[in-house]
């Protein structure tokens, strides 16, 4: 052959003919070997593959090397060889199928057309897809079907059934065919000869690709993933087409027709009901990518945000968004009521209403005023709640109950959207709290499991706005009652959430009721704290913390903790227990960090508010000590009885600090320093501490409390150390004598008391 070629004994035409004949002979030889030998292995496929490659190369050489045939006949010849390989693969296995598929998709690249036409090209891609799926369908035997003629089936490998050999190992053919069609379609639209007139053939091709992939292999023959992949690729092609044509009417019609088909498939096949959710989300994304809807101006508005004006397509965008919202919301609502598996339909209804309404407002809010947007949100929310109400009879089914719950979530978010359009600032916060109460009432009638968590979430949003948003950090003189706006800004939501918690508790939703009860308690405590801040510091936004203000806050927290402990004795509650625990812990930490260290008037040398008796020291040390004493007596309510000695010791320390600082306040006035300024002041400390020790001893003896007696002895030891280590060197004259005589008499008296009341068992 080489000699004949080198000496030009064979003309180009004869070479092509001989090549085609050789290819045909090799293919025939492969099929002959397959039929005659059952254990030929991969020999038949190898012979046939060699013949197909020879034929493919001969046709391409006739076109590209020798220019014997025009592009169109060459294209047809290559396509026939490729499709023939796919048909032959039904007999000789996946190697031939792969060869045919590669040749089919390589042909358009090898033989480019001078006048490409979408009406010619995309049907060709469709033929390849159909041929591939027909091969796969013929190669897959359902486990319940008979084997059929031996000549139509691929020999199985040792230990493998015919279904496994012809089925599972061939699924790649479907994915490869779908991927190849998708790649060529994308190349045509983005790097090829795309024109607006190509919209219809490309759109029809995408529809056909999705439907053939989903239904072509049969419901029980192929994995569902193949059909879903085809639908996903079809949706991607249509979304690209919509974007390429700048959201033309025809492309949008083709896209939404595909989405309607997806919803219909989801309706007929409950196992793929998530297609409805996917269709809604894809529709939203496609419309949100619409250009020329809103144009940003070059100037910023008074809030520092870019202002926008409606674009040329703003009205069309709004119409499509609201139309899609209505269609998908209704589909979701009816699906939640009528379908056997309603959960995904409930998701579709709730998600659709939220996404489309909010998306439309986000891009073309200027087309409608705030009250109209609020009405739109309320209408869709009412539709979702009506569907949830209509499904009450099915709520015994867990999935139906969950579907209604998703509808309620959508309604709650839409109502929040409507309230945000109508109100602002503290009024919006109060409105959200009222909405939480409304959903708590609905929970008793709808009997939807998620209704109570929705109520708790709305209550949490109310608290977050009050704790984080600007109402807490800015002075707004325009609010009613001026700086005292927390009286209603925190008070009204606290009352509404407390009522909502009672409603949920009577309906049996204990966890959500506990959440709302805790939020209400937090708002009440915050209300008291803010009012104290206004009354003491003069405003909410006062930056520097004051000793008196922090003392009042700590006293409020301890009082609330004691109230919760008292309530827990009669009405057991998770919130009461943990609320009291948290308040006690926070109060103790605050006392140490602020009252004893950072804001201590001796360390800061700041003037102490009040007179000699009624002053900030009383609130900072003595009052918390008394409350801690009462709390220590009831710690078993919190299962903290083991901490009772620690609480008593902390109260003792605070009382001791109060007596010391109050003595200093008497001698030094409002401005105090750490060191003693006079001999009289130094002697007074010994006398006051001694009296305090005696009071503790007497109290311990009267009550029979050993811990109090030991506390008194501890203070007495401190007095003894002060007298010997300090008074001996710093006091002079009669003060030194009085200090030692007083200490001695007290020690003698303590010995007499112990001998009479303790050792004698009295």
């Amino acid at each position: 052959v080489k000699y004949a070629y080198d000496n030009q004994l064979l003309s180009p035409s004869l070479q092509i003919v001989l090549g085609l004949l050789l290819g045909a002979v090799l293919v025939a030889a492969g099929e002959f070997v397959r039929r005659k030998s059952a254990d030929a292995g991969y020999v038949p496929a190898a012979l046939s593959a060699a013949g197909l490659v020879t034929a493919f190369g001969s046709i391409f050489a006739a076109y590209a090397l020798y220019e014997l045939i025009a592009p169109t006949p060459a294209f047809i010849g290559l396509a026939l060889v490729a499709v023939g390989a796919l048909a032959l693969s039904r007999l000789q296995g996946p190697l031939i199928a792969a060869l045919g598929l590669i040749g089919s998709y390589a042909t358009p690249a090898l033989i480019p057309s001078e006048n490409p036409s979408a009406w010619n090209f995309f049907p060709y891609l469709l033929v390849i897809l159909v041929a591939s799926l027909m091969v796969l369908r013929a190669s897959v035997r359902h486990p319940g079907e008979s084997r059929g003629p031996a000549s139509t089936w691929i020999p199985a490998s040792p230990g493998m059934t015919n279904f496994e050999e012809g089925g599972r190992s061939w699924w790649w053919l479907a994915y490869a065919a779908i991927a190849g069609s998708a790649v060529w379609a994308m190349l045509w639209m983005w790097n090829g000869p795309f024109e607006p007139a190509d919209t219809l053939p490309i759109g029809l091709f995408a529809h056909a690709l999705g439907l053939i992939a989903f239904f072509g292999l049969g419901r029980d023959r192929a994995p569902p993933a193949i059909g879903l992949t085809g639908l996903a690729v079809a949706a991607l092609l249509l979304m690209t087409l919509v974007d390429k044509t700048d959201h033309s009417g025809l492309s949008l019609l083709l896209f939404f027709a595909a989405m309607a088909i997806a919803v219909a498939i989801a309706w007929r096949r409950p196992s793929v009901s998530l297609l409805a959710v996917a269709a809604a989300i894809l529709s939203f994304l496609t419309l949100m990518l619409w250009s020329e809807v809103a144009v940003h101006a070059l100037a910023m508005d008074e809030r520092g945000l870019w202002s926008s004006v409606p674009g040329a397509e703003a009205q069309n965008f709004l119409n499509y968004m609201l139309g899609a919202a209505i269609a998908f919301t209704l589909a979701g609502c009816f699906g939640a009521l009528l379908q056997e598996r309603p959960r995904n339909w409930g998701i579709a209804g709730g998600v659709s209403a939220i996404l489309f309404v909010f998306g439309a407002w986000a891009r073309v809010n200027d087309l409608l005023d705030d009250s109209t947007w609020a009405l739109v949100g309320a209408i869709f929310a009412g539709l979702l709640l009506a569907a949830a109400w209509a499904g009450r009879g099915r709520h015994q089914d867990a999935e139906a109950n969950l579907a209604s719950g998703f509808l309620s979530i959508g309604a709650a978010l839409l109502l929040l959207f409507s309230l945000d359009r109508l109100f602002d600032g503290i009024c919006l916060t109060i409105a959200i709290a009222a909405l939480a109460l409304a959903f708590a009432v609905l929970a008793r009638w709808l009997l939807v499991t998620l209704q109570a968590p929705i109520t708790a979430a709305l209550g949490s949003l109310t608290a977050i706005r009050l704790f984080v948003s600007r109402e807490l950090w800015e002075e707004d003189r325009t609010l009613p009652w001026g700086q005292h706006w927390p009286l209603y800004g925190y008070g009204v939501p606290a009352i509404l959430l407390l009522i909502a918690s009672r409603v949920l508790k009577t309906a049996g939703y204990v966890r959500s009721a506990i959440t709302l009860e805790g939020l209400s308690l937090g708002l009440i405590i915050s209300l008291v704290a803010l009012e104290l801040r206004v009354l003491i510091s003069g405003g909410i936004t006062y930056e520097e913390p004051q000793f008196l203000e922090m003392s009042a806050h700590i006293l409020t927290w301890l009082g609330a903790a004691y109230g919760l402990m008292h309530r827990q004795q009669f009405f057991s509650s998770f919130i009461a227990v943990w609320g009291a625990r948290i308040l006690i812990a926070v109060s103790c930490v605050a006392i140490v960090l602020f009252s004893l260290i950072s804001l201590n008037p001796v360390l800061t040398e700041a003037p102490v508010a009040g007179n000699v008796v009624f002053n900030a020291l009383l609130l900072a040390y003595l009052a918390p000590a008394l409350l801690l004493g009462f709390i220590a007596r009831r710690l078993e309510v919190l299962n903290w009885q083991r901490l009772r000695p620690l609480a008593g010791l902390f109260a003792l320390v605070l009382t001791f600090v109060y007596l010391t600082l109050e003595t200093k306040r008497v001698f030094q006035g409002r401005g105090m320093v750490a060191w003693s300024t006079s001999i009289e002041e130094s002697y007074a400390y010994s006398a006051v501490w001694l009296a305090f020790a005696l009071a503790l001893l007497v109290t311990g003896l009267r009550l029979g409390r050993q811990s109090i007696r030991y506390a008194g002895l501890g203070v007495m030891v401190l007095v003894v150390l002060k007298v010997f280590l300090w008074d001996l060197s710093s006091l002079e004259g009669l003060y030194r004598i009085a200090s030692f005589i007083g200490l001695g008499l007290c020690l003698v008296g303590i010995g007499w008391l112990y001998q009479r009341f303790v050792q004698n068992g009295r």
Side-chain angles (χ1 to χ4, degrees):
V1 173
K2 187 177 188 310
Y3 174 80
Y5 178 82
D6 292 340
N7 291 275
Q8 299 181 356
L9 299 179
L10 301 177
S11 64
S13 301
L14 186 57
Q15 293 178 31
I16 299 302
V17 172
L18 292 176
L20 292 175
L21 290 175
L22 178 61
V25 169
L26 289 173
V27 170
E31 180 61 17
F32 177 79
V33 173
R34 186 192 70 82
R35 290 176 180 271
K36 291 299 183 180
S37 178
D39 57 350
Y42 289 98
V43 173
L47 290 172
S48 297
L52 291 170
V53 171
T54 301
F56 200 87
S58 298
I59 296 174
F60 183 71
Y63 159 75
L65 186 60
Y66 299 123
E67 298 182 355
L68 297 176
I69 56 177
T72 301
F75 182 89
I76 295 174
L78 293 179
L80 289 175
V81 172
V83 174
L86 288 173
L88 185 62
S89 66
R90 296 177 57 183
L91 301 175
Q92 298 189 10
L95 176 62
I96 305 301
L99 188 64
L101 194 62
I102 294 173
S104 299
Y105 285 125
T107 298
L110 295 175
I111 313 294
S113 175
E114 296 180 357
N115 299 306
S117 171
W119 287 105
N120 295 330
F121 179 67
F122 286 98
Y124 168 76
L125 295 179
L126 207 58
V127 168
I128 299 174
L129 177 66
V130 172
S132 301
L133 295 185
M134 287 180 64
V135 170
L136 185 58
R137 182 183 179 95
S139 301
V140 177
R141 176 172 61 89
H142 191 274
E145 296 177 352
S146 61
R147 183 181 178 103
S151 61
T152 62
W153 291 96
I154 306 165
S157 301
M160 181 179 294
T161 66
N162 192 55
F163 173 68
E164 291 172 341
E165 175 70 20
R168 295 179 187 174
S169 61
W170 280 62
W171 296 134
W172 59 265
L173 183 61
Y175 293 114
I178 294 171
S181 298
V183 169
W184 269 116
M186 295 296 289
L187 289 174
W188 183 281
M189 285 188 284
W190 287 107
N191 295 318
F194 177 81
E195 295 179 358
D198 298 337
T199 301
L200 184 58
I202 296 176
L204 294 177
F205 166 75
H207 277 261
L209 185 151
L211 293 175
I212 291 172
F214 193 82
F215 295 104
L217 293 176
R219 185 172 183 178
D220 299 325
R221 289 176 175 266
I226 294 178
L228 295 177
T229 301
L231 293 177
V233 168
L236 176 62
L237 294 178
L238 290 170
M239 290 178 66
T240 305
L241 184 63
V242 170
D243 183 67
K244 187 67 177 179
T245 59
D246 293 329
H247 289 72
S248 66
L250 179 58
S251 62
L252 284 172
L253 177 62
L254 291 168
F255 173 80
F256 280 110
M259 297 300 102
I261 292 173
V263 173
I265 293 174
W267 189 276
R268 295 292 298 174
R269 294 191 180 181
S271 60
V272 292
S273 57
L274 271 177
L275 280 177
V277 182
I281 295 175
L282 289 177
S283 300
F284 170 75
L285 295 176
T286 301
L287 291 177
M288 288 299 289
L289 293 174
W290 199 332
S291 59
E292 300 300 327
V293 171
V295 180
H296 290 285
L298 297 179
M300 291 186 179
D301 59 15
E302 63 276 4
R303 296 172 297 175
L305 303 176
W306 288 106
S307 59
S308 61
V309 295
E313 297 293 329
Q315 189 61 51
N316 288 336
F317 170 79
L318 178 62
N319 295 338
Y320 273 102
M321 289 290 282
L322 294 182
I326 294 172
F328 284 108
T329 302
L330 287 176
C333 291
F334 281 110
L337 294 175
L338 303 177
Q339 284 289 307
E340 296 179 359
R341 298 180 181 179
R343 179 190 59 188
N344 293 333
W345 291 99
I347 296 175
V351 168
S352 300
I354 297 166
L355 289 181
F356 287 107
V357 172
F358 185 79
W361 169 83
R363 298 205 66 189
V364 292
N365 62 304
D366 292 335
L367 292 184
L368 302 175
D369 56 28
D370 286 339
S371 58
T372 305
W373 282 115
L375 179 61
V376 170
I379 290 174
F380 278 96
L383 178 62
L384 296 177
L385 288 177
W389 180 275
R392 285 181 303 160
R394 305 179 65 193
H395 287 170
Q396 292 77 12
D397 177 38
E399 191 163 340
N401 193 309
L402 198 58
S404 296
F406 288 126
L407 294 176
S408 295
I409 292 175
L413 293 175
L414 286 168
L415 290 174
L416 282 176
F417 168 79
S418 298
L419 292 177
D420 188 54
R421 304 280 65 76
L422 297 176
F423 302 104
D424 192 15
I426 193 62
C427 295
L428 175 60
T429 304
I430 296 175
I432 296 174
L435 182 63
L437 177 58
F439 269 78
V441 174
L442 283 175
R444 300 185 60 182
W445 300 98
L446 288 180
L447 303 177
V448 176
T449 303
L450 290 179
Q451 197 75 16
I454 294 171
T455 306
L458 292 172
S460 301
L461 179 60
T462 303
I464 290 172
R465 281 186 56 82
L466 288 172
F467 292 145
V468 177
S469 65
R470 61 182 179 83
E471 284 84 2
L472 188 61
W473 307 110
E474 294 183 2
E475 296 285 358
D476 191 351
R477 304 289 181 178
T478 63
L479 289 174
W481 299 1
Q483 295 181 349
H484 296 281
W485 66 264
L487 289 173
Y488 60 86
Y490 281 75
V492 173
I495 294 173
L496 292 175
L497 295 184
L498 184 61
I499 297 174
S501 71
R502 295 293 181 268
V503 173
L504 290 181
K505 186 172 291 187
T506 57
Y509 302 108
V510 179
R511 291 186 177 181
S512 298
I514 290 174
T515 301
L516 292 178
E517 185 179 348
L519 293 173
S520 177
L521 174 63
L523 292 179
I524 293 173
I525 294 174
S526 300
L527 167 61
V528 175
L530 289 175
E531 276 300 304
L532 288 173
R533 187 169 183 81
V534 172
L535 293 173
I536 296 174
S537 300
I540 294 178
T541 59
Y542 185 79
E543 296 181 358
E544 295 294 333
Q546 297 185 26
F547 180 67
L548 178 60
E549 178 191 344
M550 185 56 64
S551 302
H553 290 326
I554 294 172
L555 198 60
T556 302
W557 301 339
L558 287 174
Y562 186 75
L564 290 175
M565 294 172 65
H566 180 74
R567 181 183 182 278
Q568 177 67 13
Q569 289 183 307
F570 302 98
F571 305 100
S572 179
S573 170
F574 174 85
I575 289 297
V577 172
W578 280 100
R581 289 177 176 178
I582 293 173
L583 288 172
I584 292 172
V586 171
S587 300
C588 292
V589 172
I591 289 172
V592 174
L593 294 180
F594 297 104
S595 300
L596 295 178
I597 300 176
S598 62
L599 296 181
N600 192 322
V602 173
L603 301 178
T604 62
E605 298 185 2
V608 179
N611 54 33
V612 175
V613 179
F614 300 101
N615 50 45
L617 299 175
L618 186 68
L619 292 179
Y621 303 109
L622 184 59
L626 294 175
L627 277 175
L628 283 173
F630 288 120
I631 289 173
R633 297 177 58 188
R634 296 188 175 183
L635 283 177
E636 66 276 358
V637 175
L638 307 179
N639 292 325
W640 276 6
Q641 54 269 22
R642 290 177 297 179
L643 300 179
R644 184 176 287 115
L646 186 61
L649 178 62
F650 196 33
L652 173 67
V653 171
L654 290 179
T655 305
F656 180 80
V657 172
Y658 168 73
L659 293 174
T660 303
L661 294 183
E662 183 64 25
T663 303
K664 186 178 287 292
R665 169 69 176 81
V666 171
F667 285 93
Q668 296 185 8
R670 297 183 59 189
M672 300 184 297
V673 295
W675 57 88
S676 301
T677 57
S678 64
I679 296 177
E680 293 81 359
E681 179 184 346
S682 180
Y683 176 77
Y685 293 142
S686 301
V688 170
W689 295 353
L690 190 59
F692 180 47
L694 291 174
L696 289 174
L697 286 170
V698 172
T699 303
L701 291 173
R702 296 275 296 180
L703 299 178
R705 302 287 295 274
Q706 188 181 49
S707 58
I708 300 179
R709 296 201 311 268
Y710 286 167
L713 290 176
V715 176
M716 183 61 66
V717 170
L718 184 62
V719 175
V720 172
L721 293 175
K722 179 182 181 298
V723 169
F724 282 95
L725 298 179
W726 180 262
D727 292 352
L728 187 62
S729 60
S730 61
L731 297 183
E732 298 178 355
L734 295 177
Y735 286 107
R736 180 185 297 176
I737 297 173
S739 176
F740 276 88
I741 292 177
L743 176 61
L745 292 176
C746 288
L747 292 176
V748 172
I750 290 172
W752 177 78
L753 289 173
Y754 259 77
Q755 182 180 11
R756 181 175 181 181
F757 293 100
V758 178
Q759 293 181 357
N760 293 335
R762 296 177 59 181

